[in-house]
Amino acid sequence: MVQSVAFIGLGAMGYRMASHLPKHFDTVYVWNRNMDKAKQHAATYGTQAVDLTQAVQADIIFSCLPTSADVEHLINSVQLKSGSIWVDCTSGVPDSARKLATQLKTENIDFLDAPVSGQTIGADNATLTVMVGGDQAAFERALPAIQAFGKLIKHVGTSGAGFAVKAVNNMLLAVNLWSVAEGFTTLKAHGVNLTEAMDCINASSGKSGVTETVLPQRILNRSFPVTFGLPLLAKDTGIALDLVRDANLPAPVIALVQSLIQAASLTAEENSDFSAAIKMYESWSKITLE
Ligand code: NDP
């Protein structure tokens, strides 16, 4: 019986995901490194801003931090409660999930890797896709809590499987983003109206999440709203490339796009959205996508 839940890491995603928990649970602890955000969350949504020691005493503990290294560091700095489940919504590293699941099992604690997709708007609307790896019984126990912010929720395999699906998803996002930059720049160089071209492509076989949402909502209107940082996309493509290498597979496209996104991340202005990766191609071509 789940009596209490906690959410650790109130960033762009976590702040919004945690806002739905009080609709389903009486006791919702929140903790953030910068505690002002936790206090603001508590005042706005009726959660309880507590210290980390108390947060990790919940029956289900969610985390959503930048990297698996951050999560490992946190877990290794606290004493968890036997019988609890740690549900990590970070876009993390599969090997780290396996390590943490094995380590925590010795303390009778389950660790699920449960990264999310759907961006901040999906977190606002509780319509995130959640891909979960780990023990099936723990997944079933955690499912009602995950449903607070998730819409499509899938148990995709053993520990690490959720992180692997997320890394490949974001690699596909990156490949689409880069190919849209090249393709639409080519169209502009040939004098084609980009909005009309986009409408045609979005009713054709070349469409993708990038042409349907990122291109109109972030690139062509030059807004590049910072909701998913470019360094986070670079991190995810790196995880995907590591997975390919671990499997001894050839992946020329993934390797190239990972390098391009990494370069874009290193050369972009600080605090850039992932969609701003296309600006590197714009600087090469001297053509702006607008
Ligand atoms: P943000 O950068 O907005 O937030 C990061 C959060 O982690 C903040 O609460 C920050 O605390 C905290 N944090 C950072 N480092 C540490 C640390 N060492 N110890 C403790 N807390 C720390 O990130 P997002 O919310 O955008 O992303 C979080 C995860 O979700 C990432 O893995 C990302 O790839 C993934 N993701 C993001 C999506 C998006 O659209 N933004 C979509 C899907 C997945 P503080 O406030 O103190 O800085």
Side-chain angles (χ1 to χ4, degrees), residues 17 26-27 41 59 74 81-82 107 129 157 159-160 173 192 223 248 260 262 266 277:
M17 290 159 73
D26 291 336
T27 304
H41 198 277
D59 298 321
L74 215 63
K81 184 174 80 172
S82 172
E107 300 166 44
T129 299
S159 279
L173 166 67
V192 176
S223 63
N248 286 322
L260 290 166
Q262 186 67 31
L266 290 172

Side-chain angles (χ1 to χ4, degrees), residues 9-14 31-34 37 64-66 70 89-91 116 119-120 166 227-228 232 235-236:
L10 303 173
M13 292 301 283
W31 180 84
N32 194 62
R33 186 175 57 177
N34 166 1
K37 273 196 212 168
C64 192
L65 302 182
D70 298 323
C89 300
T90 303
S91 299
V116 299
Q119 304 199 346
T120 49
K166 176 67 187 175
T227 65
F228 175 42
L232 292 174
K235 171 230 2 165
D236 295 338

Side-chain angles (χ1 to χ4, degrees), residues 175-239:
V175 170
N176 283 325
L177 182 64
W178 193 265
S179 56
V180 161
E182 293 185 6
F184 277 74
T185 301
T186 303
L187 289 174
K188 189 160 178 187
H190 285 276
V192 176
N193 178 303
L194 295 188
T195 308
E196 306 297 349
M198 180 179 68
D199 289 347
C200 291
I201 287 171
N202 281 337
S204 304
S205 50
K207 71 179 172 186
S208 66
V210 174
T211 59
E212 287 183 322
T213 61
V214 179
L215 186 60
Q217 294 169 14
R218 292 172 189 256
I219 297 174
L220 292 182
N221 64 9
R222 310 306 291 174
S223 63
F224 303 101
V226 186
T227 65
F228 175 42
L230 181 51
L232 292 174
L233 180 62
K235 171 230 2 165
D236 295 338
T237 57
I239 296 170

Side-chain angles (χ1 to χ4, degrees), residues 237-269:
T237 57
I239 296 170
L241 183 57
D242 285 344
L243 285 173
V244 172
R245 289 189 174 138
D246 287 351
N248 286 322
L249 291 169
V253 174
I254 287 178
L256 179 59
V257 173
Q258 199 282 325
S259 252
L260 290 166
I261 297 293
Q262 186 67 31
S265 176
L266 290 172
T267 54
E269 283 167 25

Side-chain angles (χ1 to χ4, degrees), residues 23-284:
K23 299 170 203 159
H24 306 273
F25 299 95
D26 291 336
T27 304
V28 181
Y29 300 134
V30 288
W31 180 84
N32 194 62
R33 186 175 57 177
N34 166 1
M35 275 307 277
D36 288 347
K37 273 196 212 168
K39 286 179 191 152
Q40 188 190 5
H41 198 277
T44 311
Y45 299 111
T47 51
Q48 296 178 47
V50 296
D51 62 27
L52 185 59
T53 324
Q54 187 174 350
V56 299
Q57 293 313 303
D59 298 321
I60 295 183
I61 304 136
F62 289 103
S63 52
C64 192
L65 302 182
T67 67
S68 282
D70 298 323
V71 176
E72 284 188 26
H73 181 77
L74 215 63
I75 286 181
N76 288 324
S77 69
V78 290
Q79 183 64 48
L80 302 178
K81 184 174 80 172
S82 172
S84 60
I85 308 175
W86 191 293
V87 182
D88 183 22
C89 300
T90 303
S91 299
V93 176
D95 275 348
S96 172
R98 286 187 279 275
K99 187 170 81 177
L100 286 172
T102 305
Q103 173 189 325
L104 293 181
K105 203 70 197 162
T106 62
E107 300 166 44
N108 190 34
I109 296 154
D110 284 294
F111 179 91
L112 298 173
D113 46 303
V116 299
S117 183
Q119 304 199 346
T120 49
I121 187 164
D124 275 332
N125 297 333
T127 54
L128 293 172
T129 299
V130 192
M131 39 221 107
V132 187
D135 181 79
Q136 175 80 36
F139 167 71
E140 280 159 24
R141 272 167 54 224
L143 185 58
I146 300 172
Q147 281 166 336
F149 52 76
K151 188 174 172 199
L152 179 78
I153 303 164
K154 291 269 185 193
H155 183 247
V156 292
T158 54
S159 279
F163 284 164
V165 175
K166 176 67 187 175
V168 170
N169 177 76
N170 279 22
M171 191 71 231
L172 296 176
L173 166 67
V175 170
N176 283 325
L177 182 64
W178 193 265
S179 56
V180 161
E182 293 185 6
F184 277 74
T185 301
T186 303
L187 289 174
K188 189 160 178 187
H190 285 276
V192 176
N193 178 303
L194 295 188
T195 308
E196 306 297 349
M198 180 179 68
D199 289 347
C200 291
I201 287 171
N202 281 337
S204 304
S205 50
K207 71 179 172 186
S208 66
V210 174
T211 59
E212 287 183 322
T213 61
V214 179
L215 186 60
Q217 294 169 14
R218 292 172 189 256
I219 297 174
L220 292 182
N221 64 9
R222 310 306 291 174
S223 63
F224 303 101
V226 186
T227 65
F228 175 42
L230 181 51
L232 292 174
L233 180 62
K235 171 230 2 165
D236 295 338
T237 57
I239 296 170
L241 183 57
D242 285 344
L243 285 173
V244 172
R245 289 189 174 138
D246 287 351
N248 286 322
L249 291 169
V253 174
I254 287 178
L256 179 59
V257 173
Q258 199 282 325
S259 252
L260 290 166
I261 297 293
Q262 186 67 31
S265 176
L266 290 172
T267 54
E269 283 167 25
E270 208 174 318
N271 198 25
S272 284
D273 187 59
F274 75 100
S275 54
I278 64 118
K279 289 184 184 173
M280 189 167 81
Y281 191 71
E282 290 182 336
S283 74
W284 296 351

